[in-house]
Amino acid sequence: MRPFTYERATSITAAAAAAARTPRAKFIAGGTNLLDLMKLQIETPVHLIDINGLGLDGIERTPDGGLAIGALVRNTDLAADATVRRDYPLLSRSLLAGASGQLRNKATTAGNLLQRTRCPYFYDTNLPCNKRSPGSGCAAMQGFSRSLAVIGGSDACIATHPSDMAVAMRVLDATISTINPDGQTRTIPIADFHRLPGNRPDIENALHAGELITDVTLPPPVGGVQTYHKVRDRASFAFGLVSVAAIVQPDGCGRVGVGGIAPKPWRVDAADSAMPLGAEAVASRLLDGAKPTTDNAFKLTLVERTLDVVITEARRRA
Ligand SMILES: Cc1cc2nc3c(=O)[nH]c(=O)nc-3n(C[C@H](O)[C@H](O)[C@H](O)COP(=O)(O)OP(=O)(O)OC[C@H]3O[C@@H](n4cnc5c(N)ncnc54)[C@H](O)[C@@H]3O)c2cc1C
Ligand code: SF4
């Protein structure tokens, strides 16, 4: 691990100011992703700003009936929150499908959205990776790509976004609130938050340098049967090969998002419109333009089968 300095921020403005003072600083929340990456020297911040004392750990109703979730709310607390379980069960289910109890006790809402890919070549610093080292190439293209993206990738990178929670947040139309080092705030719809790789896979989201996520807001609840189904190699403590988050209303209409197949949580308007038509129609719209590799072509069938399970279960429960 490279040497770095450390400070505990005591207010949001102090954290933003610290980021402004030190260009290569990083915020640390639960540390469950950042510390692993620092040990491998994939992330090399010169300064860590600990944001755990900022008081951003509340879950509150918004005036319009939505829900504001503090950036530092732990995944365990968010999954267990009574309002989340009642009004946004999709979110609770997606969180419980991720990682392990110990990790969820530390992992935070913002950190989860910002966690980096699990592409095996990203972690092997002996091999080229455009995401880790821009312009070096992509070892995955000629390598073992079973877990990687079938859609949304580019010639530079086919990594997937690994978060379960982000897929649910995408289907729930979450909004991310931030403050930059100058104290200016803004909100970013989750649809615009995660970026596709294009020719800059190292730029993964819409945040600017030193910008701090303060909270994530959900619109008022939309009801319906809400399901999260994750398919993985082991029954627990494993990232998803494919996951489906869906909300199905009694008339068969709804929304659907898929994880494990793209560099960002994957949602397509035309697929939402096809919900009453069933899994085959939804899958064909979601996967329009897919470019699988030989290793991961199985994901196309897996998406359709997982959608079938989810839609069938939702109709039974409706
Ligand atoms: C073994 C293992 C298995 C896992 N399995 C799963 C799984 O199945 N599904 C899943 O979804 N996840 C899984 N995870 C990932 C885990 O959910 C993430 O590591 C965790 O959510 C990251 O949150 P954190 O608070 O620890 O982030 P940190 O590690 O503290 O930070 C991550 C990044 O976010 C930045 N950051 C944090 N907070 C803010 C903020 N408020 N504003 C701006 N930047 C910020 C940091 O600077 C850093 O770049 C697993 C992790 C491990 C280690
Ligand atoms: S797929 Fe992306 S993360 Fe994986 S090796 Fe290629 S550039 Fe790196």
Side-chain angles (χ1 to χ4, degrees):
M1 194 185 277
R2 300 252 177 96
F4 60 91
T5 50
Y6 169 89
E7 75 177 275
R8 283 199 181 103
T10 49
S11 69
I12 293 173
T13 43
R21 261 196 322 272
T22 321
R24 281 186 49 223
K26 285 215 93 143
F27 300 117
I28 182 160
T32 60
N33 191 219
L34 182 58
L35 288 180
D36 283 352
L37 294 170
M38 287 173 67
K39 287 177 200 164
L40 292 166
Q41 297 189 9
I42 294 168
E43 296 268 17
T44 53
V46 297
H47 185 63
L48 284 187
I49 305 162
D50 188 329
I51 54 173
N52 286 285
L54 299 189
L56 297 171
D57 50 6
I59 303 175
E60 288 167 13
R61 277 275 177 223
T62 57
D64 70 350
L67 202 67
I69 301 159
L72 270 295
V73 174
R74 306 290 156 178
N75 289 178
T76 297
D77 296 333
L78 188 55
D81 182 81
T83 306
V84 172
R85 284 164 56 101
R86 187 188 61 232
D87 293 342
Y88 306 95
L90 176 59
L91 180 57
S92 187
R93 284 166 181 242
S94 70
L95 284 158
L96 293 175
S100 65
Q102 275 179 319
L103 280 159
R104 293 193 297 268
N105 287 344
K106 288 298 286 178
T108 62
T109 306
N112 192 313
L113 288 175
L114 293 168
Q115 64 176 291
R116 304 201 68 190
T117 186
R118 294 284 159 171
C119 170
Y121 303 101
F122 176 70
Y123 289 84
D124 187 339
T125 51
N126 294 310
L127 292 174
C129 169
N130 288 320
K131 188 183 276 299
R132 171 172 30 81
S133 177
S136 62
C138 170
M141 297 286 178
Q142 309 302 325
F144 187 56
S145 51
R146 180 173 178 271
S147 64
L148 301 181
V150 295
I151 197 162
S154 70
D155 290 344
C157 180
I158 52 169
T160 54
H161 194 276
S163 168
D164 289 293
M165 184 198 76
V167 185
M169 292 283 196
R170 177 72 182 89
V171 170
L172 291 167
D173 286 330
T175 303
I176 292 137
S177 302
T178 70
I179 182 165
N180 77 9
D182 297 327
Q184 290 163 328
T185 59
R186 66 171 176 147
T187 54
I188 309 164
I190 192 163
D192 302 330
F193 185 74
H194 296 104
R195 281 174 40 112
L196 294 181
N199 59 6
R200 287 300 304 271
D202 53 313
I203 305 174
E204 297 174 349
N205 55 63
L207 290 186
H208 299 138
E211 194 169 5
L212 175 77
I213 297 179
T214 51
D215 55 69
V216 177
T217 304
L218 302 178
V222 293
V225 175
Q226 304 194 3
T227 313
Y228 189 78
H229 194 93
K230 176 174 174 178
V231 182
R232 47 189 154 173
D233 285 332
R234 284 193 306 263
S236 75
F237 209 31
F239 290 90
L241 287 168
V242 162
S243 65
V244 170
I247 301 178
V248 181
Q249 302 294 351
D251 62 0
C253 292
R255 308 171 181 187
V256 63
V258 181
I261 63 164
K264 61 189 280 186
W266 199 248
R267 187 172 169 204
V268 173
D269 289 345
D272 283 5
S273 312
M275 286 291 274
L277 303 175
E280 191 180 341
V282 175
S284 80
R285 285 159 176 81
L286 271 168
L287 298 171
D288 187 23
K291 288 187 188 161
T293 64
T294 309
D295 288 340
N296 68 17
F298 75 95
K299 286 193 179 183
L300 304 186
T301 313
L302 194 54
V303 168
E304 185 178 330
R305 289 185 182 164
T306 312
L307 278 164
D308 193 35
V309 169
V310 166
I311 292 172
T312 305
E313 185 197 329
R315 286 180 180 163
R316 185 181 53 74
R317 285 167 54 200

